[in-house]
Every structure is written in structure tokens, then in C-alpha cells.
Amino acid sequence: MAPKQRNAAAHSSTTTSSIAAAPSAAATAPPSSAPVAVPKSAIAKTTHAGSTQSWDKIVSNVLTHYLDTTPQRTKLLDAFMAFLVAVGALQFLYCILAGNYPFNAFLSGFAATVGQFVLTASLRIQTTEANKGDFPSVSPERAFADYVVCSLILHFFCVNFIN
Amino acid sequence: MSAEPLQGLASVGKGQSTRGLLRVIILALIAGAAISSRLFSVIRFESIIHEFDPWFNFRATKYLVANGFYNFWDWFDDRTWHPLGRVTGGTLYPGLMVTSGVIYHALRALTIPVDIRNICVLLAPAFSGLTAWAAYLLTNEMTPSSSAGLLAALFMGIAPGYISRSVAGSYDNEAIAIFLLVFTFYLWIKALKQGSMLWGALCALFYGYMVASWGGYAFITCLLPLHAFVLICMGRYSTRLYVAYTTWYALGTLASMQIPFVGFLPVKTSEHMPALGIFGFLQLLAFLDYVRSAIPSRQFQTFLWLFAGGTFGLGLLGLVIATSAGFIAPWSGRFYSLWDTGYAKIHIPIIASVSEHQPTAWPAFFFDLNMLIWLFPVGVYLCFQQLADEHVFIVVYALFGSYFAGVMVRLMLTLTPVVCVAAAMAVSALLDTYLSAKSPKPQETQAADGSEGKKAVKSGLRSTGKPVVGVYGLWGKSMMVSALAVYLLVFVLHCTWVTSNAYSSPSVVLASRLPDGSQHIIDDYREAYQWLRQNTHEDAKIMSWWDYGYQIGGMADRPTLVDNNTWNNTHIATVGKAMSSREEVSYPIMRQHEVDYVLVVFGGLLGYSGDDINKFLWMVRIAEGIWPDEVSERAFFTPRGEYRVDGEATETMKNSLMYKMSYYNYNNLFPPGQAVDRMRGARLPEVGPNLNTLEEAFTSENWIIRIYKVKDLDNLGRDHASAAAFDRGHKKKKVTKRKGPRVLRVD
């Protein structure tokens, strides 16, 4: 749990600085950055430049939104999900590079990360305030209990399958 | 003290708990009706396992009970598919056997000693009661009307489409699989409605149980993603869908991979790819959903186009590459035959030869579902009217199920639940409308209409009020209700009649009526299998067409060459070749496979249609698929294209081992020259066929089963034909010698 927490903490520490910077950047960036961008990609088409620009904007907008509205606990969940994605990607990479010989083991390992990711995502969705209307019968406590039960089932199957 | 009971009595029939109690009682009665209507076969005949596949399941269950779970899991069976054997533990769906094993041990623990055979015989009826309950639950999710659920339970309990596979003694995978199918669908709807992980996990668990029980699990694997996909296309993506689907898929796929027979199929075959695709698609959607809430809509549109287009292209490319590179197996043959009904007949005769894989005939729908089949569209229409997420499920299921039921006879089974649910919704909608005796007075409706009605009352003009629309006369209502009641009664009669006449025959034991109307039991199968059990060596190999493999294994307990688990087409084709070739060709094949006895089924004396001569063309076709230059189907037809067994049959037909074994000695039963095959209505030639390499060992009472012993090599080193000719007293050398002088004398 420790590395994850550290990860989350690092996240939040970087966030505070960028939160402060973000609104001002969002407000001032478009007029100032456009002249800068055009000379740089003078050969490239203007539409291309425009799309990259809007990409920048989209990404920065999403980031600010995330940092603004996500409570600390949910960020923990997100860190865990990022960790799972990393582990899953590593396993997949290993499978591609070194072969999938104990296919059972690879499958159950990979399925464990994917399943846990999905379950965590579900927990995250169910506990988010904005989604409360979608789940009239699922309280956050119930969501967590469900999460634990489902994880137990998942890992039982994985251990049984891993050979 | 005395006032309380009185008050309690007064509230009877109104309270919630009373209704609940009534519902439980009704459900119990429905379950009782479902179980008892399946007991015809036990009452008519006896407590016996039916047909073909159940015999294998029964044998496997006995093995499980005798040797324990782990031995069962690792069971290598050397008494089938001689000389190959079969990894039985890894190539069966263990759900059924394990279920009855658990019931057996549970009853033993309760000190109720029940024979395992009786558990196997009665398992299907018991589960049909549970299926009725599951149909009740599923229907209750669809409509607020409580009568619909009970009607659905009733329909499910007695619909012949389901009874056909679940009478007592029909100990097959479908016996428990239909319950699991309906219950999984119920859990799915529940999970989707609540968006709950727990229900999703339960759905996955029952899906896993279903995978362990029946190959038809692919139906769920395709239907749930299809439902999700349709919902997404309708713009109904919700976080509930995400939670329910991803939980089901992540857990369910893992659960399905626990079964050795399924193994890696869920990640390797194309049948399972839609589920995986929707799973990935939902992840994207969830991400997009989050992004949409984060940024203004204008930016989101550009983002969406770039992102979705790119991902879709990448995914498609990846799938194509993976399929062409062989990582994902293309669709299996049985699956192709679902799209193109002619496919199997051309490419895989072994699949087409099974009667339950044939396309359904139209009358079968009415025969199996009776009035439900015309109530079914009404129910689907009602679903369209409401069209919440769960109603979309019924619509999708109805379309999908109807198509597949039209393609394959046995998939009628998967259609039946949705027909029952939809029809129950239709009937209950009708009943709810016409059974309420209340007829609203015009003023009441006006009052209920709100402001407009009030205005009308104020103005005092009746004519300006809205006219009351609907049937409110007592006469019309009672007409409608009584018509429905008659239909329902006729439905019950039809179901009982079909069950008793069409679906309750064990097919191991045949029944016929004597001229005086009393029942006559024809028990040739068991007679012959008992003969094998008592008169042959324990390891004597029996060759027969694959239909009888499971029965020989189960009843006679003798090793067989091929059986109903048609996993090795070549081996079956070998047997087909031996049956359809001349004796000189067949004998080496039989020697190579160490065959001791050959068993054929012959219906000519009794007029029994399911005999080997009628199946013979499939043997020829399957053999021709492997040895096209040695066996030719055309050679079995007369020049006019007829399939004949009488004197005008082709030489190939007359010389084939199957023909000889069927008609050997048959003409001795009749006066000379009058031998008749009653099944095919053919007059047989005066001289019957000769058998050189086989000798008749046993023929059952009605000649249905004939068993031949394969002769050993001749002691004097002659070939069998000349040895047999010598035994018959022919001295063929002299015949040729005489010809010489006779020619001279003519000159």
C-alpha cells in the first residue's frame, strides 16, 4: 500500500502547483501560444496545427477538471488503477517478448489485473457523488462490500487457474 | 385478546404477506404440476435412463460417485473409442454429473439412501420446477403486474418445447442448463437494473455453472454482449451498464476457463470475441463519458471523432491480423451451420447426420409451443411499448432465439423461455384489462382528467367531456375472459397430450398396442445388451454405428469403437467404411481394430424406423468424406436414383456388410420367396445374403438388434470365402472342371 500512497501523494503535490497555474494558463494561453506555434510548424498545414492545439487544450482542460473535482479517496483509487494498468501492460509486454508458455499463468495474471481494474473502476463510479442518481440502491458502503466480495471471487478463480 | 384474531381475519386477502403466501403456494403448485407432468415415462414404463446421451451421463455419474471427484476430473476412459481411448474428464461438461453427485451425497448425509439411478432419472423434473421459479423471477423484472410472473412460471413449467428435453429419465445437460440459462438472464437483468457488482458477480457465477453444464453457454456469451451493444447503439449507455457488464465479463470469463473442456477457448475462438469486444468498447465509453463531463462539448466532439475513430480502426486491424495469423481460431463448423443451413450437409456430414441439428419444420413451433407462439409477438410488442433496458433484452433475445430455433431443431429449447415470458406478459395484460370489474363512471374519469374535466363539470355540458374509451360492459369482459380461459385450458390439454404421447418414450424401451388395446412392451435393446453383458468377455470390443456407443457402454458395459461423443471423425468414418464395404474389405478393418462383435439394429420385421438401414446413407457419406475413391454414395443408388433394398438393389448395396448383416437369414422367417421388409415395404430376393467372415451370435426377440461374432482366421489358412463355401458343401473346383467337357460335347 505504501508505494501507492506515495504515488498518490506525489500526484497531489504536483497538482497543487498546476492547479494554481492552470486557470491563468487557460485564460491567457490561446492568444499568446498561437503566434508561437505557427512559426514553429510553418511547413505543416494550418489545420494540423489547429488540431494539435485543441488537443493541448483538451488535455489541459481534462487535467484541471480532474484535479479540481476529484476527492482524495478517489485519487487513491485512481492511483491503484494506474498501478494495475502498469502491471497489466508489463505482463502483456512479457508475453509478447518472452512467449506465453505457461499460458494459464499469463492468463490468470492478466485477468487478475484486468478484473481488478474493472472492479475498482466500478467502485469508483459507484462512489462518485455525481453518479448517485444512477445507483439508488447502492450506498458507498454497499459498493465497498460488493467490491470486496467480487475481488475475493476473482482471486479465487485466478489462484485456481494459475496452476 | 379475542379482538386481534378477528382483525387479522378481516385483513386476510388484502395484506402484503397474504399475497406473498398465496404466491408461494401457487408457485409450489406450478412446480408440482411441472414435475408431475414429466413423470409419464416413469409411470408408463419404469424408472429408466432414456435415449443415447443420458446413458453416458449416467455412466459418468456412477464413475464420479464411485471414484470421487479428483479421479473423475482426471478420468481417462479406455473402454470407449478403442483403441484410442478418450480423455473423458477433460472433454465433458461436468456440471450435470457433479450436481447429481452432490445431491446423492447430501441425501446420504441426511441418511436417505437413494439409488443414484433414481436421482439421475428425477433430476430433470426437479430442475424444471426451479426453471418455473426462475421464469417467474425474470418476468417480474419485466412488468409490474404480478400475474405475469405466475403465468410465465406456469407456461415454462408445462410448455412442450422444454418438456421435450426434461422428462424423467432424460438425464441430459439440458436438464439443468435451461434453469441456469433463465436464472443467469434474471441475474443479468437484476445487475443491469441496479448497477450492482454483487448481482453481476452472481450472474458470472451462474454463468460459470452454465458453462460447466452445457455447450449452449455460447448463447449467453453472445446474447449479453448483443444486448449491451444494442443498448449502446440506442444511446442508453449508463454507468450501470458498465458496472454490470464488466463485472460479469471479468468474472464470468475466468469462471468459464476453469472447465478443462472450455479451457482457453474464451480468449481464442471467434464465438467469444463479441463479448471481449464489447468489454473493451465499454472501457472506452466509460473513459469518454468521464471526459465529456470534464470538458466543454465543442472540444469533446473533436476529441470523440479522433479518439473513437482511431481506436475502432486499431481494434479492427488487430482482430483481422490476429485471426489471419492464427491467434484466434475462425468460427467452428457447428457455428457456420447456424448461418448457412446447407453448410453442414456439404462439409461436415457428421454434424448434419444428427437429427436434432436439422432445420426446424414449421409445424414444430406450434406443436412445441401451441398458443404461446401467437401470443409471443404480442408480448414483444408490449415490450416495445415500454422499452426500458430490460425490455430491450427481451426484444433482442426474441429475435436471436427465433432465428436459431428456426435453424436447428434442438435450439427450440433456448427459444422457449423467452416465448413463455413474452406470452405471459401478453396474457396478463389482457387479463388485467378485462378482469377488473370496475367500470369507471363518466364523471369519475372526467374528474381524473384534471383541469379539463373540471371545466366540463363546471359548465355542466356532458357532451363537452371526453367520451370514455374502452370496453366496460360486463358482457364483453366476460366474453373476453372466458375465451382466454378456454385457450388456457386447451393449452394445458395440448401440453399434457404432447408430453404423454410424443416426449415420454424412453426409446430404449418401445411400446406398441396389441389389437385389444393393451400395451405391449418391446424390450429388444435391453435384451441384447444384457446378452452382451452375460455372454461375452469383459473386454470384448463391440463395433456398431456411433448412435449405440453410449448405450453399449452404459448398459452392456463393453468397450466400443465409436460413440455419441463424435470427437474423432476419422474413426467414425472407419466404422462407416467397414459397414459399407464388401466383406473382404471390412474384415481387415475389423481385425485391425480387434473387433469381437458387430451390432446392428434392424427394423425390418417390426417396422421400426430408426434402424441402421435407414441411417446407412450417413455412414456411406461420412466414409466417403475420408475415402472418396473407395466408398461412393452414388453406388448405393439404383440407376434411377432410388435407394432400394429389394431384389433390384445395386450390387454395392447387396454386398455391403450392413446389408448382409441386416438381412442374413431373414428369409427363413417367411415362406420361400415371400420375405418382406416391413419398414421399407420391400419384397426381398428369394436367396438371402451369405456371410463369410461373421457368424450370427444373437438376434433379439423382434429382430431389432442383431449381434454377429467376427470369425477368427481360418485354421487351414484359407480365406474366409472359400472356407465358408466349403462348409456349405460347394466344391467350386469341380464346377469349373465340368465346364470344359460340356463345351466339347456341344461341338
Side-chain angles (χ1 to χ4, degrees):
Chain A
M1 214 48 200
K4 278 164 234 153
Q5 231 156 6
R6 191 147 31 83
N7 202 352
H11 242 271
S12 58
S13 68
T14 51
T15 61
T16 43
S17 59
S18 60
I19 280 178
S24 60
T28 55
S32 65
S33 66
V36 179
V38 170
K40 261 188 185 173
S41 57
I43 314 153
K45 289 175 196 169
T46 49
T47 51
H48 189 257
S51 77
T52 50
Q53 232 177 70
S54 64
W55 268 109
D56 283 348
K57 219 160 48 177
I58 288 170
V59 170
S60 69
N61 271 1
V62 169
L63 212 64
T64 41
H65 176 84
Y66 175 78
L67 297 171
D68 281 348
T69 58
T70 318
Q72 185 63 31
R73 282 186 185 178
T74 312
K75 276 182 189 155
L76 249 173
L77 283 182
D78 288 339
F80 184 42
M81 279 159 72
F83 165 73
L84 286 171
V85 168
V87 172
L90 262 180
Q91 283 176 333
F92 199 73
L93 204 69
Y94 178 85
C95 171
I96 288 174
L97 293 179
N100 61 1
Y101 163 58
F103 197 43
N104 284 54
F106 165 68
L107 269 185
S108 51
F110 193 63
T113 53
V114 171
Q116 198 65 56
F117 175 83
V118 166
L119 291 176
T120 317
S122 298
L123 178 67
R124 186 192 191 286
I125 288 174
Q126 288 185 342
T127 48
T128 307
E129 280 296 316
N131 294 331
K132 206 124 219 194
D134 279 351
F135 303 97
S137 61
V138 183
S139 62
E141 291 80 13
R142 155 107 194 256
F144 189 71
D146 284 3
Y147 175 71
V148 171
V149 171
C150 291
S151 304
L152 281 178
I153 296 173
L154 175 78
H155 287 283
F156 167 75
F157 281 139
C158 286
V159 170
N160 189 35
F161 194 58
I162 206 163
N163 273 353
Chain B
M1 280 300 284
S2 62
E4 280 177 10
L6 275 177
Q7 276 180 348
L9 272 177
S11 65
V12 158
K14 288 177 186 169
Q16 199 68 33
S17 58
T18 325
R19 287 191 173 198
L21 182 67
L22 265 179
R23 236 174 258 152
V24 169
I25 292 174
I26 293 174
L27 272 178
L29 286 176
I30 288 173
I35 292 170
S36 52
S37 80
R38 283 164 170 80
L39 295 182
F40 272 113
S41 55
V42 173
I43 294 164
R44 292 263 172 77
F45 300 94
E46 60 189 284
S47 173
I48 186 182
I49 304 287
H50 290 192
E51 296 191 320
F52 306 105
D53 287 16
W55 277 102
F56 166 74
N57 298 329
F58 178 48
R59 180 163 163 257
T61 311
K62 280 200 287 189
Y63 187 89
L64 167 70
V65 168
N67 297 313
F69 184 71
Y70 286 104
N71 283 324
F72 174 69
W73 206 252
D74 303 329
W75 184 18
F76 178 81
D77 190 1
D78 58 351
R79 293 178 73 77
T80 53
W81 293 93
H82 184 84
L84 307 169
R86 173 185 170 194
V87 191
T88 312
T91 55
L92 51 60
Y93 292 102
L96 182 72
M97 298 94 192
V98 173
T99 307
S100 30
V102 166
I103 293 175
Y104 175 75
H105 286 298
L107 287 178
R108 291 279 293 240
L110 293 170
T111 65
I112 307 174
V114 184
D115 188 15
I116 185 71
R117 176 173 56 90
N118 284 323
I119 291 175
C120 294
V121 166
L122 295 177
L123 190 76
F127 267 85
S128 74
L130 287 177
T131 314
W133 174 64
Y136 166 78
L137 291 176
L138 180 63
T139 316
N140 271 357
E141 292 300 315
M142 299 296 156
T143 155
S145 159
S146 55
S147 61
L150 292 173
L151 277 169
L154 179 69
F155 291 158
M156 195 69 223
I158 61 174
Y162 174 40
I163 285 189
S164 66
R165 292 319 204 82
S166 64
V167 292
S170 157
Y171 179 58
D172 212 343
N173 291 330
E174 289 93 331
I176 63 171
I178 295 302
F179 161 66
L180 295 171
L181 183 83
V182 180
F183 201 67
T184 310
F185 286 153
Y186 161 68
L187 291 171
W188 162 248
I189 295 295
K190 198 85 181 164
L192 183 64
K193 267 180 148 180
Q194 295 200 353
S196 147
M197 277 187 269
L198 188 66
W199 286 102
L202 276 178
C203 181
L205 284 183
F206 270 86
Y207 171 73
Y209 191 10
M210 172 81 184
V211 175
S213 304
W214 194 34
Y217 74 90
F219 189 69
I220 302 182
T221 320
C222 293
L223 193 59
L224 296 195
L226 189 66
H227 181 213
F229 184 66
V230 170
L231 284 181
I232 292 167
C233 289
M234 290 168 75
R236 291 187 176 208
Y237 166 79
S238 65
T239 44
R240 285 192 301 270
L241 179 65
Y242 177 86
V243 173
Y245 186 84
T246 51
T247 313
W248 166 74
Y249 183 77
L251 294 181
T253 309
L254 259 181
S256 69
M257 287 194 289
Q258 312 293 315
I259 310 301
F261 191 33
V262 177
F264 301 138
L265 289 185
V267 288
K268 285 202 162 170
T269 54
S270 302
E271 285 101 309
H272 300 82
M273 283 304 128
L276 180 64
I278 296 292
F279 179 72
F281 194 45
L282 274 175
Q283 309 297 336
L284 289 183
L285 278 179
F287 180 62
L288 287 178
D289 202 40
Y290 179 77
V291 172
R292 189 174 59 182
S293 69
I295 56 176
S297 62
R298 187 66 179 275
Q299 289 178 356
F300 180 67
Q301 273 188 348
T302 44
F303 177 77
L304 181 71
W305 283 115
L306 287 169
F307 188 72
T311 329
F312 183 75
L314 272 181
L316 199 67
L317 198 73
L319 192 67
V320 168
I321 288 174
T323 311
S324 57
F327 291 125
I328 302 171
W331 309 80
S332 65
R334 212 171 285 218
F335 212 82
Y336 273 125
S337 64
L338 286 179
W339 305 115
D340 176 11
T341 45
Y343 179 86
K345 198 164 188 177
I346 303 165
H347 299 283
I348 328 162
I350 191 85
I351 291 178
S353 76
V354 181
S355 62
E356 60 187 23
H357 290 164
Q358 306 290 341
T360 318
W362 282 110
F365 281 99
F366 187 73
F367 188 73
D368 275 354
L369 298 166
N370 195 260
M371 71 161 189
L372 301 185
I373 201 65
W374 51 261
L375 284 171
F376 172 48
V378 183
V380 175
Y381 170 74
L382 287 177
C383 285
F384 264 113
Q385 280 201 321
Q386 296 167 324
L387 215 64
D389 291 354
E390 61 267 24
H391 299 111
V392 176
F393 178 74
I394 291 291
V395 172
V396 170
Y397 183 7
L399 283 176
F400 211 54
S402 318
Y403 176 75
F404 286 127
V407 170
M408 246 189 217
V409 171
R410 84 163 159 177
L411 291 180
M412 182 71 87
L413 204 56
T414 53
L415 176 68
T416 307
V418 72
V419 169
C420 290
V421 170
M425 288 170 70
V427 172
S428 85
L430 280 173
L431 284 181
D432 285 351
T433 314
Y434 288 103
L435 263 186
S436 71
K438 270 193 288 183
S439 57
K441 287 168 193 161
Q443 280 182 340
E444 272 182 21
T445 50
Q446 279 169 359
D449 276 346
S451 58
E452 198 189 359
K454 275 176 191 167
K455 270 182 200 166
V457 172
K458 273 180 189 169
S459 65
L461 286 172
R462 276 276 158 85
S463 55
T464 53
K466 261 192 179 174
V468 182
V469 180
V471 183
Y472 292 113
L474 219 57
W475 175 241
K477 278 185 177 178
S478 58
M479 279 280 284
M480 193 65 206
V481 170
S482 53
L484 258 183
V486 169
Y487 275 127
L488 286 172
L489 283 176
V490 170
F491 175 67
V492 172
L493 283 181
H494 173 85
C495 290
T496 317
W497 179 81
V498 168
T499 311
S500 118
N501 286 298
Y503 292 138
S504 288
S505 164
S507 92
V508 177
V509 183
L510 308 169
S512 68
R513 296 239 170 247
L514 294 178
D516 63 350
S518 64
Q519 198 180 39
H520 176 64
I521 298 285
I522 298 164
D523 211 357
D524 280 37
Y525 279 98
R526 284 197 291 178
E527 184 192 350
Y529 294 138
Q530 189 65 14
W531 183 88
L532 276 179
R533 194 184 263 268
Q534 288 177 345
N535 295 285
T536 60
H537 187 259
E538 204 192 335
D539 289 326
K541 280 88 187 167
I542 317 288
M543 181 172 92
S544 72
W545 189 234
W546 60 263
D547 294 19
Y548 313 106
Y550 279 165
Q551 289 185 348
I552 295 172
M555 281 191 262
D557 192 25
R558 292 291 172 268
T560 52
L561 259 66
V562 290
D563 63 27
N564 309 41
N565 175 264
T566 49
W567 66 275
N568 189 328
N569 190 35
T570 314
H571 212 53
I572 291 178
T574 311
V575 173
K577 187 185 173 192
M579 293 289 193
S580 54
S581 308
R582 288 176 301 120
E583 275 187 78
E584 295 83 48
V585 181
S586 307
Y587 186 69
I589 298 178
M590 291 191 284
R591 293 289 301 181
Q592 280 163 4
H593 291 82
E594 301 176 325
V595 175
D596 295 300
Y597 293 90
V598 187
L599 181 147
V600 291
V601 174
F602 173 63
L605 182 65
L606 214 59
Y608 172 57
S609 63
D611 70 346
D612 275 348
I613 293 284
N614 279 359
K615 293 174 185 169
F616 190 37
L617 282 178
W618 285 112
M619 306 184 203
V620 175
R621 273 172 212 155
I622 290 168
E624 190 182 1
I626 306 285
W627 294 279
D629 42 351
E630 291 179 62
V631 184
S632 152
E633 187 183 347
R634 186 68 194 82
F636 289 84
F637 288 105
T638 58
R640 289 170 62 196
E642 292 166 309
Y643 178 63
R644 302 188 74 138
V645 294
D646 53 9
E648 288 168 45
T650 61
E651 280 308 304
T652 323
M653 180 74 187
K654 279 183 182 169
N655 285 325
S656 68
L657 192 68
M658 175 57 70
Y659 181 90
K660 284 184 171 182
M661 284 193 295
S662 290
Y663 293 109
Y664 183 67
N665 271 345
Y666 184 58
N667 48 355
N668 294 352
L669 275 180
F670 297 88
Q674 294 185 21
V676 172
D677 182 330
R678 290 188 184 131
M679 177 53 229
R680 284 153 284 269
R683 180 171 292 260
L684 298 170
E686 199 163 335
V687 184
N690 282 323
L691 271 175
N692 298 326
T693 56
L694 303 170
E695 57 188 347
E696 187 176 355
F698 175 80
T699 296
S700 64
E701 187 189 349
N702 298 299
W703 286 59
I704 287 185
I705 303 246
R706 311 197 67 186
I707 299 170
Y708 291 87
K709 185 168 173 32
V710 179
K711 282 184 189 168
D712 211 344
L713 290 175
D714 189 58
N715 280 339
L716 301 176
R718 298 168 295 183
D719 63 295
H720 281 98
S722 53
F726 181 81
D727 286 344
R728 280 194 294 271
H730 292 175
K731 289 160 187 165
K732 64 176 182 182
K733 296 244 166 163
K734 277 183 185 170
V735 177
T736 49
K737 268 181 189 172
R738 260 188 216 145
K739 271 184 181 170
R742 206 195 289 163
V743 173
L744 280 176
R745 224 191 290 169
V746 168
D747 273 343

